[in-house]
């Protein structure tokens, strides 16, 4: 049997403020084919337009390229350009086959100028490390070897995406250039996937980069830099990189962002902003074809201002201290025969949870826990749940677990208990 009780319910009316009518953004207010405003701390979508539609993502890809390079590489690594990397199309850094630079320097080339050849060189370097290859021999790679090394890097990108819950994201290139692949499904039918994501999943990746990754500080330092200059390893050429993310100076609190454009993707953008303890992420896909490059900034401002105007941070949950649960048929010592064993239990997960809520939204927290248990019970057994829900379909669940192990009473013990009672008296005293 379970006991269920509400431990907290939050809405705009908990302060005796009458909730206003829901405010929303009409689809026609945005140029983007797909768009998301996300609470980066929880992944809750505050506004979505076609947020689960799979679309090409162009160079917004490079936020994942950058974070994988930071997590798997060393900034002091020396990256060598192969003929494969050097042959990538514009926009490009322009290093020739055999030229070298530090991984750290190249990450600024990647994120500030969005150089496609740099993305390929970084991917080939990290992929070679993943394969256990000698990175000094990259310059001698055949095209097939370069493709294999880049494939190893793409595997890291796709594995990271899956670990973040991004099941509709497919990285086929490290720079965001349009690409597609064919494969056979389980029924033997030929299917095609293309380099793509959804607005919701792109926002999720950015949230990881700025808040969760062990390399988040380095990611932010790189993407917030307005200008960076460096030379190749032999100091023969100087390269200057200017950040093309206009959002950094467009709105107060801007944290990071990445632009993108290809013929298939149109203009794309993903960016993050921090304001009054709130962190918003906006992802935009296909804001229009060539010549419409300013539209993304219009959509970005609409969504960020909407979030800052209507959403406030509300503490909706703090981990409760729960009463121990009686355990039937527990194996106890004779002296405890008249006592019923009580199992201490605890909630696993966050100590607290804060959500961004608008006036017209609410959130509830429900605890569902067994009122009694039957031995055997093992430490770690799930005996209940804490369920959190909020407007818009948001939900989160924490398990309630048993802290100790108690075994089932054995039949022989019953005989021992009876003898012990006979010898000691009904009150257990000699």
């Amino acid at each position: 049997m379970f006991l269920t009780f509400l431990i907290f319910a939050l809405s705009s009316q908990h302060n005796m403020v009458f909730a206003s009518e829901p405010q929303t953004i009409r689809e026609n207010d945005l140029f983007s084919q797909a768009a998301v405003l996300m609470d980066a701390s929880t992944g809750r979508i505050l506004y979505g337009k076609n947020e689960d539609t799979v679309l090409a993502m162009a160079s917004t890809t490079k936020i994942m390229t950058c974070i994988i390079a930071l997590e798997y590489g060393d900034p002091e690594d020396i990256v060598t350009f192969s003929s494969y990397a050097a042959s990538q199309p514009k926009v490009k850094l322009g290093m020739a086959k055999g030229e070298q630079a530090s991984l750290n320097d190249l990450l600024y080339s990647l994120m500030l100028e969005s150089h496609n050849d740099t993305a390929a060189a970084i991917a080939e370097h990290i992929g070679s490390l993943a394969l256990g290859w000698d990175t000094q021999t990259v310059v001698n790679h055949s095209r097939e070897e370069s493709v294999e090394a880049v494939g190893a890097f793409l595997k890291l990108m796709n594995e990271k995406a899956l670990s973040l819950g991004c099941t509709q994201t497919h990285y086929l290139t490290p720079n965001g250039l349009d690409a597609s692949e064919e494969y056979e499904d389980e029924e033997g039918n030929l299917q095609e996937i293309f380099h793509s994501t959804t607005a919701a999943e792109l926002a999720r990746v950015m949230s990881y980069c700025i808040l969760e990754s062990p390399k988040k500080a380095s990611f932010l330092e790189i993407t917030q830099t307005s200008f960076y200059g460096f030379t190749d390893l032999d100091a023969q050429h100087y390269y200057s990189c200017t950040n093309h993310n206009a959002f950094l100076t467009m709105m107060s609190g801007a944290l990071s962002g990445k632009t993108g454009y290809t013929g298939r993707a149109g203009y794309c953008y993903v960016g993050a902003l921090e304001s009054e303890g709130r962190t918003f992420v906006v992802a935009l896909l296909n804001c229009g074809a060539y010549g419409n490059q300013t539209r993304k900034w219009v959509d970005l401002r609409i969504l960020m201002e909407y979030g800052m105007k209507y959403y406030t941070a509300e503490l909706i949950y703090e981990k409760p201290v729960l009463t121990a649960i009686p355990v039937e048929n527990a194996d106890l010592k004779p002296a405890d025969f008249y006592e019923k064993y009580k199992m201490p239990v605890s909630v696993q997960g966050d100590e607290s949870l804060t959500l961004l809520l608008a006036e017209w939204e609410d959130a509830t927290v429900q605890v569902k826990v067994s009122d009694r248990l039957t031995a055997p019970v093992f430490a770690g057994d799930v005996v209940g749940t804490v369920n959190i829900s909020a407007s818009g379909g948001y939900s989160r669940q924490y398990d309630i677990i048993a802290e100790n192990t108690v075994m089932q009473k054995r039949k022989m013990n019953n005989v021992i208990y009876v003898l012990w009672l006979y010898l000691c008296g009904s009150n257990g005293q000699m």
Side-chain angles (χ1 to χ4, degrees):
M1 182 180 294
F2 282 89
L3 294 178
T4 303
F5 55 97
L6 186 71
I7 65 171
F8 194 72
L10 176 69
S11 73
S12 62
Q13 298 181 358
H14 76 289
N15 288 325
M16 301 302 291
V17 176
F18 291 101
S20 61
E21 290 295 319
Q23 304 296 314
T24 189
I25 301 169
R26 295 170 301 180
E27 286 196 2
N28 291 338
D29 291 337
L30 300 176
F31 293 109
S32 307
Q33 183 177 345
V36 154
L37 171 67
M38 179 176 285
D39 172 6
S41 297
T42 64
R44 180 171 178 251
I45 294 176
L46 310 180
Y47 172 83
K49 172 186 176 181
N50 300 324
E51 64 269 28
D52 296 321
T53 300
V54 177
L55 296 167
M57 61 183 126
S59 285
T60 59
T61 298
K62 293 184 173 91
I63 65 171
M64 181 64 94
T65 304
C66 182
I67 207 67
I68 292 296
L70 287 168
E71 291 182 357
Y72 286 87
D74 185 322
E76 301 304 316
D77 282 356
I78 300 304
V79 178
T80 304
F81 274 65
S82 67
S83 58
Y84 173 83
S87 69
Q88 295 296 303
K90 294 181 178 180
V91 175
K92 58 194 297 182
L93 179 64
M95 279 194 171
K97 175 184 176 180
E99 290 193 275
Q100 298 177 311
S102 73
L103 176 60
N104 181 71
D105 289 344
L106 291 179
L107 287 173
Y108 287 89
S109 163
L110 176 77
M111 299 305 290
L112 274 58
E113 291 284 356
S114 201
H115 289 141
N116 292 322
D117 53 350
T118 295
I122 289 172
E124 190 169 354
H125 174 79
I126 301 296
S128 295
L129 290 175
L131 292 169
W133 293 358
D134 180 3
T135 59
Q136 297 302 312
T137 65
V138 165
V139 66
N140 297 320
H141 278 178
S142 65
R143 180 178 178 82
E144 290 73 20
E145 289 171 325
S146 293
V147 170
E148 183 178 355
V150 171
F153 183 82
L154 292 171
K155 182 181 179 183
L156 296 176
M157 294 176 72
N158 285 299
E159 287 175 347
K160 176 64 72 175
L162 284 174
S163 75
L164 300 178
C166 299
T167 59
Q168 298 301 312
T169 296
H170 304 287
Y171 293 111
L172 303 183
T173 67
N175 43 30
L177 294 174
D178 294 330
S180 60
E181 290 181 355
E182 291 185 337
Y183 71 98
E184 285 189 3
D185 62 20
E186 294 179 354
E187 298 178 353
N189 299 315
L190 201 61
Q191 304 288 344
E192 181 187 52
I193 59 170
F194 63 101
H195 186 82
S196 56
T197 189
T198 68
E201 293 190 359
L202 179 57
R204 175 70 188 99
V205 173
M206 175 58 92
S207 298
Y208 172 79
C209 291
I210 64 171
L211 293 181
E212 302 169 41
S213 170
K215 298 297 182 179
K216 61 187 178 184
S218 296
F219 179 88
L220 287 170
E221 180 180 356
I222 293 167
T223 57
Q224 290 174 355
T225 299
S226 58
F227 177 85
Y228 188 84
F230 65 97
T231 65
D232 64 293
L233 192 64
D234 295 329
Q236 297 299 306
H237 301 96
Y238 176 79
Y239 301 94
S240 61
C241 301
T242 300
N243 199 328
H244 295 279
N245 180 17
F247 176 54
L248 293 177
T249 56
M250 191 174 84
M251 297 187 72
S252 177
L255 285 176
S256 183
K258 185 70 189 72
T259 58
Y261 175 82
T262 67
R264 183 170 193 169
Y267 287 100
C268 302
Y269 187 75
V270 59
L273 179 146
E274 185 178 46
S275 172
E276 299 177 352
R278 304 163 298 174
T279 304
F280 300 101
V281 168
V282 166
L284 308 170
L285 296 176
N286 198 347
C287 298
Y290 186 77
N292 296 316
Q293 58 265 36
T294 61
R295 289 183 173 181
K296 61 182 177 291
W297 305 126
V298 176
D299 286 4
L300 176 65
R301 184 180 289 277
I302 288 173
L303 289 169
M304 287 298 189
E305 289 182 347
Y306 173 83
M308 289 188 289
K309 180 177 181 180
Y310 292 113
Y311 284 86
T312 58
E314 301 282 0
L315 176 65
I316 67 161
Y317 164 76
E318 291 184 291
K319 183 181 290 187
V321 177
L322 300 174
T323 303
I325 302 173
V327 180
E328 303 285 350
N329 205 33
D331 186 16
L332 303 176
K333 296 178 181 179
D336 298 322
F337 183 75
Y338 287 107
E339 300 294 326
K340 185 177 292 294
Y341 179 78
K342 294 184 178 181
M343 175 65 70
V345 297
S346 60
V347 182
Q348 300 299 291
D350 301 325
E351 292 296 324
S352 63
L353 180 64
T354 297
L355 289 181
L356 301 187
L357 294 174
E359 285 185 342
W360 57 86
E361 296 181 322
D362 56 28
T364 59
V365 180
Q366 286 187 320
V367 176
K368 185 178 182 181
V369 62
S370 300
D371 61 350
R372 62 181 179 272
L373 303 171
T374 301
V377 180
F378 299 93
D381 282 356
V382 176
V383 297
T385 56
V386 175
N387 297 292
I388 300 172
S389 60
S391 300
Y394 175 85
S395 64
R396 180 168 293 190
Q397 178 176 295
Y398 302 117
D399 289 335
I400 300 172
I401 67 164
E403 294 187 357
N404 299 329
T405 294
V406 59
M407 301 307 295
Q408 184 178 13
K409 184 185 298 181
R410 292 167 293 180
K411 291 183 178 180
M412 181 58 67
N413 283 349
N414 293 334
V415 176
I416 296 173
Y417 292 157
V418 171
L419 290 174
W420 182 82
L421 287 173
Y422 176 77
L423 295 171
C424 298
S426 61
N427 61 359
Q429 302 293 322
M430 289 294 289

